[in-house]
Amino acid sequence: MRARNVKTSPLPRALFEDERLTVIRAHVGDQNRRVRFFLAPDPPDQQPSPSSTQFDSQAFSSRMLNWVQIITTPTADTHGTCLLLHFDNKRYVFGSLSEGTQRAFIQRNIAIQKVEDLFLTGVVNWQNAGGLLGVILTLADILAGKLENIRANQEEKRKRGGKITQSDIESVTSRLRIHGGKNISHLLATARRFVFRKGMPISPLEIRDDPRSSKQHSEPDWEDINIRVWYMPVQSTAGSPTNPKKRSLDEFIGDSEVDEQDKTFVDKEGDLKLVNTIVNQMFDSDWKMDALIETTLHKVQLPAKIFVRDQNGHIQAYKGPMPGGDREVPDIPVLTRQPWPGATVNSLPRTEPSTQSMCYIVKNRDRRGKFDAKAAEEYGVPRFDYKFLTRGENVLGKDGMTVTPDMVMGKTVPGNGFAIVDLPDSSYIDSLVNRTEWSDDNIMQEVHVIFWILGHGVANEPRLQEFMKKMSKVKHIVSSPDTCPNRISLESVTAQAYKLRCIDPDRFPLPIYNNLLSISNTPIKDIPTTIYNGGQVGKMVQFAPQYLHQDGQVVPFANIQKLVRQTQDLTEEVLDMAKQAAAKISKPKFLAKVEKVESDIPNRDAEVITLGTGSASPSKYRNVSATLVRVPGYGNYLFDCGENTIGQMTRLFGDELPEILRDLKGIWISHLHADHHLGIASVIRAWNEETSKSAPAAKLFVAAHVHMLDWLREYADIENYGFERLQTSPFRLANRQICTPRIFTEEETAAFGIARIDACLVQHCFGALATVFTFPSGLKIAYSGDCRPSDEFVQIGKGATLLIHESTFEDELQGDALAKKHSTMSEAIDVGRRMGARRILLTHFSQRYQKVPVMEENFEVRPDAKDGEKAQLDEVILVAFDYMRIKLGDFRKAQAFLPAIQKLFESAKDE
């Protein structure tokens, strides 16, 4: 490919008179499509930040309770270490925001709505920040819910003739600050095509340079009314990671005519400004969904909603031939929705993986001493002036005497604090121990604890242990894959799995855990407690009103049997029903009927593992969407890959996981909603690490909307997670709804196990797709993703062996299903019946528990029955739960246990 020189002509600011607009040069990737500049509205003017003196004055009189608590430690499904710093008026998060962090907060019943600052430690990569987007979306939705309630109350007030003010809305509008190392802004900007919220400004505070590299000083790098923070970026001595040459997206999907984009930076300051502007527009723009723009039909980029005006000027949906089809397209004016601002940026400036690990020192502000009311009375200070003295202000006493706070206040209490240090590997140790902050008394005074987040093997490094010994006056708490037990971190879903296992042990395994071993199989008893203590979930260190370790807050290891007994829903009646079902499916007559009826079903040993069965966001009982299908002789296939899919796999498969990853051949992503794909990077990385030695030439097939492939490509600049080993397939339309099928060659089928993939657009969101995977044996697996019932999906899925269909809402919530473009249970079942699917698995539930339909058995399948009739007579429908493992040939057996499962959950309340 030929290189392209990027011209850097002056920005044409004089063309635009609006001072509220910023002109930003487009990156080369957008210049290739003739975009030269972006116009971005400046963010709203921010109130000037209070000075340190003003913060001191406000905080001086505060006597809030304050502590830091460990929320997660490294386990199979919580890979990172996360701390919550609590003040009565505000919360702060420190450490890793890895996948599964949000779910851990839910499990611990810890609310995050008061969080306004996130301090990410370590290197910016998906292992440390894979849960960040989920946390941001949750905070944005909480804020949106509050604002909606306030507006509803204001409307009621208006109807009653009351006065409406903006003060209530202003009181809940907040800005989220994200402190982190190099590439944190870039990571957020890569999500611009699928993350969009309004009214929640995001401020990425990216620490690219060492604040004390050239000049030593003791001033904090960031502060507010509660805390002062010192940034400590630590560099690896191993140098920059070696990354293979990155392919451009166009190379990645087979278009070699577009010039490559991985040129050296032209304007680093401009690049960062563009990235930060994108992030601002992702979360705080004035974009409106109902705003339409006029263009010509030829210029519309599909898929898109297209409208035209009729003879009377009324807007109506366009129903004529579409661009890219076989029919001639008229050159007429049309209306279409303007994409949200971030999505209009085609490509980001290039970056490279960082070798900088972020660490922090955090200290409370000094607090006033005890007020001496007797002394104030002797000085003749009126009682109503006491409050001014406690705020640090002077007042007048008897005879006009000036009374200062130090005359009536006890000794000022210095603020206590802690450090949090993240060392991914031993190459960061020298840089850390040589930092000047450790010898600066102004910074280290009253720092009582260091929380260490360490990579595998780092805790045993002699250099680090020697440093800990020198800092013996400080308490050292280590959280690492070597020092923390692989305990149960999500008790609620584990207790549910235990109940289900008591009913049907062949389909419901227990999550794997070990309270005596870490996830790296290190015995926990070998921790050298004379040097440091291991991190424990719930461990709390109080800093105000006094420094105190509260080990009584440590979360004990889960006693699952006890938890189950406390719920009192696994009754004798349920267990008796389960015993009857087990006896029934073991009878020779039953087994013979199953063999006869299912004799024509291919790959009856294929196994479906439902890793995540919930919708929108993770809950205590259901993780977000992911379904793994294992087809012996062909491979393993993931249908959607929501956040922490790798954690679910690790918890479920244990020592079996390496084999699962080696056999992983393909991943299908149905649409761009975050709950369906935020786990893909970590799954690809795990596959890459597992196969790089055993099968370095192997490829992993990824099929998705082209914008998902955009994200995979852009994120590869931040982390080398295995992008170069992907073979991808973006789906394009053959007609208005059905995509051109992906037919595999013999060589491709040998590599990926698939003969054909069909897909069609479905009604849910931009680019949402349903799919059908066909295997050489004739096995057909249809997967809906999220959607309303689709005739096109029925068409491409005719004769499916297995339909996996979303069932977000119960039948009585039909209105919700229509409004949110999902399906009800009956609608999903109807799709399967129209397809002629032999087996139907319902998933993607919005409630904590779902009602379980009990279907009548019917083994009377006539030998002369046609395929459609056979499917109707041999229909088996199951409801998915997290961790469920079910073989195609065992659907009948599992069906026998449905009455017991229905009885178990009939009194369960919605979450």
Side-chain angles (χ1 to χ4, degrees):
M1 290 194 178
R2 65 186 184 277
R4 179 188 292 264
N5 293 322
V6 181
K7 296 181 180 180
T8 57
S9 56
L11 295 173
R13 295 187 176 89
L15 293 178
F16 308 101
E17 297 179 356
D18 193 336
E19 296 180 354
R20 296 168 297 176
L21 288 177
T22 296
V23 184
I24 303 173
R25 189 184 312 282
H27 179 54
V28 61
D30 285 293
Q31 292 186 18
N32 285 338
R33 60 188 182 106
R34 299 185 179 181
V35 176
R36 293 292 177 263
F37 306 98
F38 289 109
L39 300 181
D42 290 334
D45 293 336
Q46 299 297 314
Q47 295 295 327
S49 298
S51 66
S52 181
T53 302
Q54 290 173 310
F55 278 137
D56 284 335
S57 176
Q58 295 175 45
F60 193 70
S61 60
S62 173
R63 302 188 66 85
M64 288 185 286
L65 188 64
N66 156 238
W67 69 78
V68 65
Q69 187 172 28
I70 299 177
I71 307 302
T72 64
T73 57
T75 68
D77 43 19
T78 55
H79 290 283
T81 299
C82 182
L83 311 180
L84 181 74
L85 179 60
H86 171 100
F87 287 82
D88 291 344
N89 64 334
K90 195 175 175 183
R91 313 285 189 269
Y92 308 80
V93 172
F94 286 85
S96 300
L97 274 173
S98 58
E99 294 179 60
T101 301
Q102 180 184 183
R103 197 176 184 197
F105 272 93
I106 294 170
Q107 180 64 63
R108 301 283 154 242
N109 293 317
I110 296 174
I112 61 172
Q113 59 261 37
K114 287 189 177 182
V115 172
E116 294 182 16
D117 287 274
L118 306 174
F119 294 84
L120 269 67
T121 62
V123 177
V124 173
N125 57 28
W126 208 253
Q127 181 172 342
N128 290 327
L132 174 61
L133 291 171
V135 169
I136 292 173
L137 290 173
T138 296
L139 287 170
D141 291 343
I142 289 172
L143 177 62
K146 288 182 178 179
L147 292 174
E148 185 177 345
N149 289 336
I150 289 173
R151 291 189 179 104
N153 292 335
Q154 286 185 335
E155 179 61 21
E156 287 295 320
K157 192 174 182 181
R158 185 190 65 79
K159 290 179 180 178
R160 296 194 301 267
K163 186 178 179 181
I164 299 175
T165 65
Q166 284 292 106
S167 58
D168 287 339
I169 290 179
E170 291 171 357
S171 69
V172 299
T173 302
S174 61
R175 175 176 292 272
L176 180 66
R177 289 170 291 270
I178 302 172
H179 310 248
K182 177 188 172 184
N183 287 334
I184 189 63
S185 298
H186 207 95
L187 184 149
L188 293 169
T190 63
R192 65 193 179 281
R193 293 182 179 92
F194 55 83
V195 171
F196 176 78
R197 292 293 188 273
K198 298 174 66 174
M200 184 177 179
I202 299 287
S203 296
L205 303 180
E206 185 167 311
I207 301 97
R208 287 179 164 245
D209 302 312
D210 190 339
R212 276 164 287 284
S213 60
S214 58
K215 182 180 179 181
Q216 173 61 23
H217 63 87
S218 303
E219 295 303 311
D221 302 305
W222 184 85
E223 58 186 328
D224 70 357
I225 190 174
N226 295 323
I227 60 175
R228 294 168 291 164
V229 180
W230 288 261
Y231 299 144
M232 291 199 301
V234 177
Q235 290 290 340
S236 168
T237 57
S240 299
T242 56
N243 256 5
K245 173 188 172 294
K246 295 291 188 299
R247 292 174 286 168
S248 71
L249 178 65
D250 302 284
E251 291 178 282
F252 188 48
I253 61 177
D255 184 355
S256 60
E257 296 181 1
V258 180
D259 294 330
E260 64 179 292
Q261 301 173 16
D262 52 338
K263 305 294 178 285
T264 55
F265 298 136
V266 176
D267 180 5
K268 286 187 177 181
E269 182 178 347
D271 287 348
L272 188 58
K273 188 172 185 178
L274 173 60
V275 170
N276 285 332
T277 301
I278 291 169
V279 173
N280 180 69
Q281 290 295 301
M282 288 167 62
F283 297 97
D284 192 30
S285 80
D286 57 1
W287 178 85
K288 295 181 179 179
M289 186 174 181
D290 56 358
L292 298 175
I293 60 169
E294 185 167 322
T295 183
T296 59
L297 185 57
H298 287 283
K299 295 180 180 179
V300 174
Q301 294 187 355
L302 297 178
K305 288 280 189 181
I306 302 174
F307 303 90
V308 293
R309 293 187 185 275
D310 62 18
Q311 295 178 348
N312 298 319
H314 299 152
I315 295 175
Q316 59 185 11
Y318 172 71
K319 298 180 180 180
M322 304 292 282
D326 298 332
R327 298 165 59 190
E328 183 178 349
V329 177
D331 188 17
I332 59 173
V334 296
L335 298 168
T336 187
R337 287 197 176 99
Q338 174 76 20
W340 60 71
T344 62
V345 180
N346 189 55
S347 62
L348 296 179
R350 302 304 295 267
T351 186
E352 58 187 2
S354 172
T355 57
Q356 173 207 67
S357 182
M358 279 306 303
C359 311
Y360 306 92
I361 294 174
V362 187
K363 292 176 66 175
N364 293 356
R365 290 195 168 276
D366 295 346
R367 294 179 292 112
R368 65 175 174 83
K370 188 175 181 180
F371 180 73
D372 189 342
K374 185 175 180 181
E377 186 178 351
E378 291 176 355
Y379 288 123
V381 177
R383 286 183 174 273
F384 55 79
D385 281 346
Y386 285 4
K387 61 179 178 292
F388 297 109
L389 289 167
T390 61
R391 293 175 188 168
E393 301 174 23
N394 297 342
V395 299
L396 293 178
K398 60 185 177 182
D399 302 326
M401 174 185 181
T402 299
V403 181
T404 61
D406 60 289
M407 297 167 64
V408 296
M409 303 291 296
K411 187 177 179 181
T412 298
V413 181
N416 294 316
F418 65 94
I420 180 165
V421 175
D422 194 317
L423 304 179
D425 58 56
S426 59
S427 69
Y428 291 86
I429 293 176
D430 288 341
S431 178
L432 183 280
V433 300
N434 292 325
R435 290 201 63 89
T436 58
E437 289 89 349
W438 304 123
S439 58
D440 189 328
D441 291 339
N442 291 325
I443 297 176
M444 290 302 295
Q445 182 185 8
E446 305 302 330
V447 172
H448 300 291
V449 184
I450 300 178
F451 293 97
W452 298 88
I453 303 175
L454 303 178
H456 178 53
V458 179
N460 295 325
E461 283 284 338
R463 290 171 295 164
L464 187 60
Q465 293 195 3
E466 186 62 30
F467 177 79
M468 290 182 181
K469 290 176 182 177
K470 288 181 180 179
M471 304 278 288
S472 58
K473 293 182 180 180
V474 177
K475 184 87 168 178
H476 299 281
I477 299 175
V478 172
S479 182
S480 80
D482 307 318
T483 62
C484 300
N486 186 20
R487 57 177 293 155
I488 291 172
S489 55
L490 302 169
E491 292 89 349
S492 296
V493 70
T494 305
Q496 175 178 285
Y498 180 87
K499 297 174 192 177
L500 291 167
R501 182 173 177 79
C502 289
I503 293 172
D504 185 3
D506 292 332
R507 258 61 65 183
F508 295 101
L510 275 180
I512 296 169
Y513 68 97
N514 193 321
N515 294 333
L516 301 178
L517 292 177
S518 70
I519 54 175
S520 57
N521 290 319
T522 304
I524 300 303
K525 61 181 177 61
D526 293 343
I527 295 175
T529 54
T530 56
I531 303 175
Y532 62 80
N533 295 120
Q536 296 175 285
V537 175
K539 165 76 176 181
M540 184 183 290
V541 180
Q542 180 180 296
F543 295 116
Q546 68 270 348
Y547 170 59
L548 180 67
H549 282 257
Q550 295 188 355
D551 290 336
Q553 299 297 321
V554 171
V555 178
F557 293 137
N559 184 330
I560 298 303
Q561 291 88 340
K562 183 178 179 181
L563 288 174
V564 170
R565 285 196 299 270
Q566 289 173 345
T567 63
Q568 298 182 349
D569 49 9
L570 191 63
T571 62
E572 287 297 323
E573 181 182 5
V574 171
L575 295 175
D576 287 342
M577 294 172 71
K579 289 177 183 177
Q580 293 172 20
K584 173 183 176 180
I585 66 172
S586 63
K587 293 179 179 178
K589 186 177 180 181
F590 176 91
L591 296 173
K593 284 185 175 181
V594 171
E595 288 296 322
K596 178 181 177 182
V597 172
E598 297 185 353
S599 60
D600 63 328
I601 294 180
N603 301 96
R604 290 177 61 205
D605 58 348
E607 185 179 26
V608 184
I609 301 106
T610 49
L611 299 167
T613 60
S615 67
S617 61
S619 70
K620 288 182 179 181
Y621 299 94
R622 296 185 187 272
N623 199 42
V624 285
S625 295
T627 303
L628 179 70
V629 179
R630 304 180 68 184
V631 187
Y634 295 117
N636 300 338
Y637 306 88
L638 264 173
F639 293 91
D640 280 332
C641 197
E643 179 184 330
N644 210 25
T645 293
I646 192 64
Q648 295 286 92
M649 294 171 71
T650 306
R651 184 65 80 186
L652 182 60
F653 296 122
D655 293 339
E656 191 185 358
L657 182 61
E659 178 187 351
I660 298 290
L661 291 171
R662 286 192 296 269
D663 289 340
L664 185 63
K665 303 297 182 184
I667 301 175
W668 167 269
I669 301 299
S670 63
H671 62 289
L672 291 174
H673 282 168
D675 59 314
H676 287 255
H677 64 76
L678 284 184
I680 191 172
S682 51
V683 170
I684 293 173
R685 184 182 64 235
W687 171 86
N688 181 49
E689 292 173 353
E690 182 58 41
T691 60
S692 58
K693 294 181 180 179
S694 62
K699 296 280 188 178
L700 181 63
F701 188 85
V702 178
H705 188 276
V706 67
H707 284 174
M708 185 72 240
L709 307 183
D710 290 336
W711 183 84
L712 291 170
R713 162 62 207 96
E714 287 186 341
Y715 181 71
D717 278 358
I718 297 173
E719 177 185 2
N720 180 22
Y721 65 96
F723 168 82
E724 290 299 312
R725 299 180 64 198
L726 302 181
Q727 180 161 330
T728 67
S729 180
F731 276 79
R732 297 182 171 92
L733 293 179
N735 58 40
R736 290 195 65 181
Q737 291 296 123
I738 297 179
C739 301
T740 303
R742 176 66 158 85
I743 309 297
F744 287 70
T745 65
E746 289 187 12
E747 183 179 358
E748 288 175 327
T749 297
F752 303 114
I754 314 166
R756 173 184 176 124
I757 298 179
D758 290 272
C760 67
L761 285 176
V762 288
Q763 186 183 2
H764 179 64
C765 70
F766 173 81
L769 296 166
T771 190
V772 178
F773 277 40
T774 303
F775 294 83
S777 63
L779 174 68
K780 290 183 68 172
I781 299 175
Y783 179 73
S784 70
D786 288 4
C787 65
R788 293 289 300 143
S790 165
D791 292 337
E792 288 78 15
F793 186 35
V794 170
Q795 180 181 334
I796 66 173
K798 282 291 185 182
T801 316
L802 169 67
L803 168 64
I804 304 169
H805 203 290
E806 72 117 290
S807 178
T808 308
F809 294 103
E810 297 181 22
D811 292 344
E812 54 263 36
L813 298 175
Q814 173 77 30
D816 288 23
L818 284 166
K820 298 180 180 180
K821 298 180 182 178
H822 284 290
S823 297
T824 65
M825 180 178 292
S826 293
E827 288 174 330
I829 293 171
D830 180 65
V831 169
R833 287 173 175 167
R834 289 194 288 145
M835 270 185 188
R838 297 291 291 275
R839 300 291 177 263
I840 301 173
L841 183 63
L842 304 177
T843 187
H844 196 269
F845 302 114
S846 64
Q847 277 76 31
R848 170 183 169 184
Y849 297 116
Q850 192 74 8
K851 291 181 180 178
V852 181
V854 179
M855 310 304 297
E856 282 190 22
E857 294 176 358
N858 191 338
F859 290 107
E860 303 305 322
V861 180
R862 300 187 308 275
D864 61 341
K866 297 180 181 179
D867 289 343
E869 295 172 339
K870 182 178 287 189
Q872 184 178 358
L873 293 168
D874 184 35
E875 178 185 86
V876 182
I877 302 168
L878 295 180
V879 172
F881 294 89
D882 281 22
Y883 305 139
M884 186 174 82
R885 303 181 67 165
I886 174 74
K887 291 184 177 181
L888 274 181
D890 288 341
F891 266 59
R892 282 282 183 187
K893 294 179 181 178
Q895 185 186 43
F897 292 95
L898 285 180
I901 294 174
Q902 186 182 45
K903 188 69 177 178
L904 175 70
F905 293 134
E906 70 178 5
S907 61
K909 297 179 180 178
D910 291 346
E911 193 170 48

